[in-house]
Amino acid sequence: MKKLIPVILLLMIVLTAVVLFTESDKNNDELTIVTTFYPPAEFASQITKEKFNVINITSGGVEPHDFEPSPQDIVKIRNADLFIINGNDLDHWAEELVEENKEINSINLSEYITSERGNDPHFWLDPVHAIDLVKAISERIIEIDKENEKLYIENTDKYIDVLNKLNQEFRVGLANCSQRKIVVSHDAFEYLGDRYDIEIINISGVTPEEEPSAMKLAEISDKVKEYNIKYIFYETLVSPNLANTIAQEAGAETLVLDPIEGLSNEDVKAGENYLSIMRNNLNNLKLAMNCE
Ligand SMILES: [Zn+2]
């Protein structure tokens, strides 16, 4: 038994090396984009269609705030033609990685957002900022594959039209509502709130892991009663326990408001994407805000 352990260890090392070697070998001929979480992967796919292989390294229902990459992820990033980072601490590990490895061709999306929200990383939840991101990603893709520029510009313009329409749907849908305060799971919706005049009450901090104290929970529960808030929002990738506790305590119901930090496996099976989830968010907001 004592001898078996080193053998297993050695086998694991060899297997890892084989995996790494295969990964680095097969990516040579196809154009590849790697992203640190879902929305930039969706935007890149909309622009490139089948011309690039787009890899989101936090797929499969992983929360990007507390993600740590594996050696295989690092190999994928090193072999990619473009590495898309969100910035503002959502993917701090990636910001460090490109700082230390200047040869990685990367784009930091936070540099393309002009806003007064400081270091808040959740700008993709505002469709107007999503358009800024699509434009920035598109320019970098064209730099890499100039040959197909016309196609990328066409795809980009088409998707921007769709995002403009989404912005319009939010504007109209949330224009006449008797409730303008909402309670959300973690502090991800300030850009959305700024854009459409919604006051956000957060249960957790800027990452889902920053849990509130019992006193903070009691305060939120009091606000829910005071402002006659009927629904408490929870997220798909985070436990709904806190939202449930407040809802029970204050006599409210719970509903999903998805920060789109990743698709759950159920989302993927159901064919959900950025647009469909944003529209589902809008419908739930209209219900919670009692809009006409
Ligand atoms: Zn977040």
Side-chain angles (χ1 to χ4, degrees):
M1 191 66 201
K2 261 184 192 164
K3 271 190 182 163
L4 204 58
I5 292 168
V7 170
I8 289 170
L9 258 178
L10 188 67
L11 201 64
M12 279 170 69
I13 292 166
V14 170
L15 279 177
T16 310
V18 167
V19 168
L20 295 182
F21 183 75
T22 325
E23 291 286 353
S24 63
D25 219 22
K26 81 177 174 206
N27 285 344
N28 283 346
D29 46 355
E30 78 182 323
L31 293 168
T32 306
I33 294 173
V34 174
T35 73
T36 59
F37 77 126
Y38 168 71
E42 168 69 2
F43 299 159
S45 299
Q46 290 291 336
I47 297 162
T48 62
K49 300 294 177 185
E50 77 290 351
K51 296 278 181 205
F52 277 70
N53 177 28
V54 180
I55 302 166
N56 163 24
I57 57 171
T58 55
S59 58
V62 177
E63 232 303 314
H65 278 290
D66 53 350
F67 177 75
E68 279 175 31
S70 69
Q72 286 91 335
D73 294 328
I74 303 291
V75 172
K76 282 179 194 159
I77 293 165
R78 286 186 169 283
N79 286 334
D81 296 279
L82 181 63
F83 179 37
I84 307 179
I85 297 171
N86 188 73
N88 285 3
D89 253 0
L90 179 87
D91 37 18
H92 189 72
W93 64 269
E95 290 179 273
E96 274 179 8
L97 182 74
V98 299
E99 184 61 40
E100 287 159 14
N101 298 273
K102 305 276 188 206
E103 71 281 6
I104 295 173
N105 184 27
S106 65
I107 175 172
N108 186 326
L109 296 177
S110 66
E111 291 166 13
Y112 296 83
I113 299 297
T114 23
S115 117
E116 289 163 11
R117 297 232 59 87
N119 270 338
D120 185 341
H122 302 94
F123 31 77
W124 64 89
L125 290 168
D126 169 358
V128 179
H129 282 322
I131 291 173
D132 297 333
L133 303 183
V134 168
K135 284 180 183 166
I137 295 170
S138 178
E139 274 177 23
R140 293 299 291 274
I141 286 168
I142 291 168
E143 271 175 33
I144 294 165
D145 186 19
K146 194 83 181 149
E147 215 173 283
N148 291 303
E149 179 175 16
K150 201 169 155 259
L151 174 76
Y152 298 140
I153 292 177
E154 254 175 48
N155 293 345
T156 302
D157 288 348
K158 244 187 244 167
Y159 198 58
I160 288 176
D161 282 349
V162 172
L163 291 173
N164 271 320
K165 202 168 151 257
L166 181 70
N167 174 35
Q168 216 37 44
E169 287 170 31
F170 268 85
R171 268 201 192 292
V172 173
L174 301 177
N176 298 305
C177 316
S178 63
Q179 175 63 268
R180 298 220 77 93
K181 292 181 176 67
I182 63 169
V183 178
V184 304
S185 178
H186 87 283
D187 193 4
F189 298 94
E190 302 286 351
Y191 288 96
L192 188 86
D194 282 358
R195 183 69 63 192
Y196 306 111
D197 186 25
I198 309 165
E199 194 182 315
I200 316 285
I201 299 165
N202 300 297
I203 300 174
S204 306
V206 82
T207 75
E209 295 75 47
E210 284 173 42
E211 290 208 357
S213 62
M215 206 167 92
K216 171 113 193 276
L217 281 180
E219 257 172 48
I220 294 169
S221 180
D222 286 345
K223 282 186 190 167
V224 170
K225 289 177 207 157
E226 185 188 341
Y227 301 131
N228 203 19
I229 293 169
K230 300 282 185 219
Y231 294 91
I232 310 298
F233 285 115
Y234 70 96
E235 299 175 14
T236 38
L237 299 186
V238 176
S239 156
N241 288 351
L242 291 172
N244 283 337
T245 306
I246 293 171
Q248 267 169 20
E249 159 70 25
E253 289 176 60
T254 56
L255 263 181
V256 169
L257 192 63
D258 194 331
I260 325 186
E261 294 183 349
L263 298 185
S264 66
N265 293 327
E266 291 75 42
D267 288 337
V268 174
K269 264 186 220 141
E272 300 284 359
N273 57 34
Y274 175 83
L275 273 181
S276 67
I277 297 174
M278 283 297 277
R279 291 205 168 104
N280 192 46
N281 280 349
L282 174 59
N283 284 334
N284 286 352
L285 282 168
K286 281 157 80 172
L287 180 60
M289 292 167 63
N290 198 23
C291 307
E292 280 170 21

